[in-house]
Amino acid sequence: MQDAKLALRELERAAKLRGMRGMYLSTNVNGVELDEQRFWDIYARAEELGWAIFLHPVDTIGRDRTGKYYLRTCSATRTTPGVAAAHLIFGGVLDRFQSCKSTCLTPEALSPA
């Protein structure tokens, strides 16, 4: 995603792989929020493919204060995907690509109940 054109080429390559149904994105790209226009061609293609977009907390909010005591796992990994989702919502991405499916993943979502 650091280079949107290369990311789109990778999406096209991955789309040919058997069983691919979505893409996994970090909650920001080197500090750039996901609602930036440079990513919209990627969302358009994901929508055409019917792919889901999974958001995973990377480079979490508050890193300077959440390093000790596993606070990053306890709080920042829950907050960061919500902020990324808010950028997709308020930035107009989900309005523009209405059939694009997105979901937020957090560590507890991947662990057994």
Side-chain angles (χ1 to χ4, degrees):
M1 292 289 283
Q2 295 90 337
D3 182 318
K5 289 181 182 179
L6 289 176
L8 189 57
R9 280 190 12 211
E10 177 61 15
L11 187 152
E12 293 294 349
R13 185 198 68 78
K16 297 173 187 168
L17 299 174
R18 185 176 177 194
M20 291 296 290
R21 299 286 185 265
M23 62 183 170
Y24 193 77
L25 297 179
S26 67
T27 47
N28 70 77
V29 180
N30 295 331
V32 176
E33 300 298 344
L34 298 177
D35 61 343
E36 291 291 321
Q37 284 277 329
R38 68 176 97 169
F39 303 130
W40 285 36
D41 288 342
I42 297 163
Y43 303 139
R45 185 64 180 126
E47 181 180 51
E48 289 171 7
L49 292 168
W51 276 16
I53 299 172
F54 298 95
L55 300 176
H56 182 70
V58 175
D59 192 20
T60 57
I61 292 171
R63 290 180 67 106
D64 57 326
R65 298 187 61 211
T66 59
K68 289 172 72 175
Y69 316 117
Y70 296 98
L71 294 175
R72 189 172 300 130
T73 302
C74 295
S75 62
T77 56
R78 293 179 176 157
T79 306
T80 302
V83 171
H87 279 275
L88 293 174
I89 294 165
F90 299 125
V93 175
L94 297 184
D95 283 336
R96 171 64 180 82
F97 307 104
Q98 292 185 10
S99 61
C100 214
K101 305 168 199 94
S102 65
T103 189
C104 298
L105 294 179
T106 58
E108 60 275 1
L110 301 174
S111 61

